Amino acid sequence: MKNKLKKYAMLFIAGFISVFLLAILSLFSILPYWIPILLAVVVCCISCPVPLFYCTNILLKKTKWYDSIYGDCVKFKKQKFNTQVVNLGSSQGKYAFDYSKISVLGANWAVAPQPLSDDFRILKNYHSYIKEGGYVLFPLCPFSGFVEDYADINHFRKCHYFLHPILNPHFSETIFQSMKREVEFPLLTVIKNPYTSLKGILKNDFLKRNFALKLFNPMNKVQLENDAANRIESWKKEFSLRNLSDALSSTNQNSIDFNNDLLCEIVDFCTERSLTPIVIIPPVTRQLSEAIPADFRQKTLYAMLKKAQDEKG
């Protein structure tokens, strides 16, 4: 794309010089006056779309629509050395941590959705930005251990932009180049999917939405209970659970064992590099907490943490 821009710039300069010379010749009646005018129109038609294209991309990158699609990609290009604390995680980590208004130099490396295996890949890729003795936060919940890796190859698409190819199990040079063009030139996404893109821009940037953090949950008791029930039903469907009090299937238990071993490996990785790993269980509403039985939390989360603590101290 940069090479094309250079070509357009050279074409514009050459066209401008040609128009200037032809205008001089027309002044001396050597050429008809309309020739330099025609050439000027042609040069403008060819060259004007280029700056317009780049200006439009600059404006699109400032939208919440762009941030909602590509924000997880571009934030990894803004890392600072000697970062004191970073957090990983999925949605719970992405929206729970904000270091912008505190004196600590922190970075939010959470990407939604993201299993623990992706956390480890990102940590491997960017750990050198964390200062010696820095903290690495891992938010985990009772369902964090149910996913080893996502089977859908599209999940790894945006990883092409911010992960080293060796850390992306489904790396493709074609996808990498496509993702790079989309992130750097979002207008291409708008052109490719105009209805979805314009709808997203309208929804995120033109309709008034309150993104400010609130001190209290705005939902009432009934809404909180419905929200908790909907979340539980969604997780039961996602992980093929009939009832949270039932015994875990071999598939789910194997996933928990896999993530248990992975957590121990992550702890080793951090301690070998003088980093301090900290597991955090994010707070939830009382209604959601009561909807998850204590024995379910014990076998899906607390047992995993205890094993990691017993093995790694």
Side-chain angles (χ1 to χ4, degrees):
M1 187 62 71
K2 291 182 178 179
N3 290 333
K4 288 184 178 179
L5 179 61
K6 291 180 180 178
K7 290 179 180 178
Y8 277 113
M10 293 300 296
L11 178 62
F12 177 78
I13 294 172
F16 178 81
I17 295 174
S18 300
V19 170
F20 179 75
L21 293 176
L22 290 175
I24 293 176
L25 293 175
S26 65
L27 288 175
F28 290 96
S29 301
I30 299 175
L31 290 174
Y33 72 92
W34 55 267
I35 291 182
I37 296 176
L38 177 61
L39 184 57
V41 171
V42 172
V43 171
C44 289
C45 290
I46 294 175
S47 60
C48 283
V50 178
L52 181 62
F53 175 80
Y54 278 85
C55 289
T56 304
N57 280 292
I58 292 172
L59 293 175
L60 286 173
K61 288 180 180 180
K62 298 180 182 296
T63 63
K64 294 184 178 68
W65 165 81
Y66 177 84
D67 187 62
S68 68
I69 299 177
Y70 303 114
D72 286 341
C73 298
V74 297
K75 69 181 181 182
F76 286 102
K77 301 298 182 181
K78 303 174 183 178
Q79 300 307 311
K80 297 180 180 179
F81 286 105
N82 293 317
T83 299
Q84 296 168 276
V85 57
V86 303
N87 70 271
L88 291 139
S90 189
S91 300
Q92 77 277 33
K94 179 178 178 179
Y95 298 105
F97 296 92
D98 181 10
Y99 308 96
S100 61
K101 297 182 180 180
I102 60 176
S103 58
V104 173
L105 180 58
N108 190 327
W109 291 352
V111 176
Q114 178 166 285
L116 194 60
S117 52
D118 279 352
D119 286 346
F120 199 11
R121 293 183 183 108
I122 290 174
L123 183 61
K124 287 178 179 179
N125 203 129
Y126 295 97
H127 70 87
S128 59
Y129 287 98
I130 310 172
K131 69 178 297 185
E132 185 175 346
Y135 298 93
V136 184
L137 312 182
F138 295 92
L140 296 178
C141 70
F143 295 93
S144 296
F146 282 69
V147 181
E148 295 181 26
D149 239 334
Y150 288 104
D152 186 2
I153 192 173
N154 288 324
H155 168 75
F156 296 92
R157 193 171 187 277
K158 61 183 175 183
C159 298
H160 283 72
Y161 190 78
F162 59 84
L163 278 184
H164 190 282
I166 200 172
L167 293 173
N168 188 340
H170 300 286
F171 179 80
S172 162
E173 181 65 27
T174 302
I175 296 177
F176 168 70
Q177 294 296 338
S178 175
M179 195 66 200
K180 186 178 178 181
R181 286 193 297 270
E182 288 181 24
V183 174
E184 296 181 0
F185 305 105
L187 182 57
L188 298 177
T189 301
V190 177
I191 295 172
K192 184 178 180 181
N193 300 296
Y195 175 76
T196 304
S197 301
L198 293 175
K199 181 180 177 182
I201 294 171
L202 178 65
K203 179 181 178 181
N204 289 287
D205 293 275
F206 289 94
L207 298 180
K208 291 185 177 180
R209 303 178 67 192
N210 187 6
F211 291 93
L213 294 177
K214 294 180 174 62
L215 295 177
F216 302 97
N217 196 315
M219 291 189 287
N220 59 38
K221 182 180 178 180
V222 175
Q223 290 173 323
L224 288 169
E225 290 174 350
N226 290 336
D227 177 73
N230 291 335
R231 290 180 185 274
I232 293 297
E233 288 303 315
S234 176
W235 287 324
K236 286 166 64 176
K237 182 178 180 181
E238 181 179 359
F239 302 116
S240 302
L241 299 167
R242 288 194 304 173
N243 196 304
L244 298 188
S245 59
D246 293 344
L248 295 175
S249 66
S250 58
T251 300
N252 287 332
Q253 187 59 57
N254 290 338
S255 296
I256 291 174
D257 293 339
F258 170 86
N259 283 292
N260 202 331
D261 294 337
L262 186 61
L263 182 60
C264 293
E265 189 177 349
I266 290 173
V267 171
D268 284 339
F269 182 89
C270 290
T271 53
E272 288 170 2
R273 289 157 180 80
S274 301
L275 304 176
T276 305
I278 299 176
V279 173
I280 296 176
I281 302 177
V284 297
T285 62
R286 178 176 59 82
Q287 288 79 0
L288 183 56
S289 179
E290 292 175 351
I292 303 176
D295 62 329
F296 182 83
R297 283 178 278 175
Q298 177 62 38
K299 60 189 176 185
T300 59
L301 179 60
Y302 300 148
M304 184 170 72
L305 300 181
K306 187 176 186 305
K307 181 180 179 181
Q309 186 179 29
D310 291 343
E311 290 187 9
K312 303 303 173 184

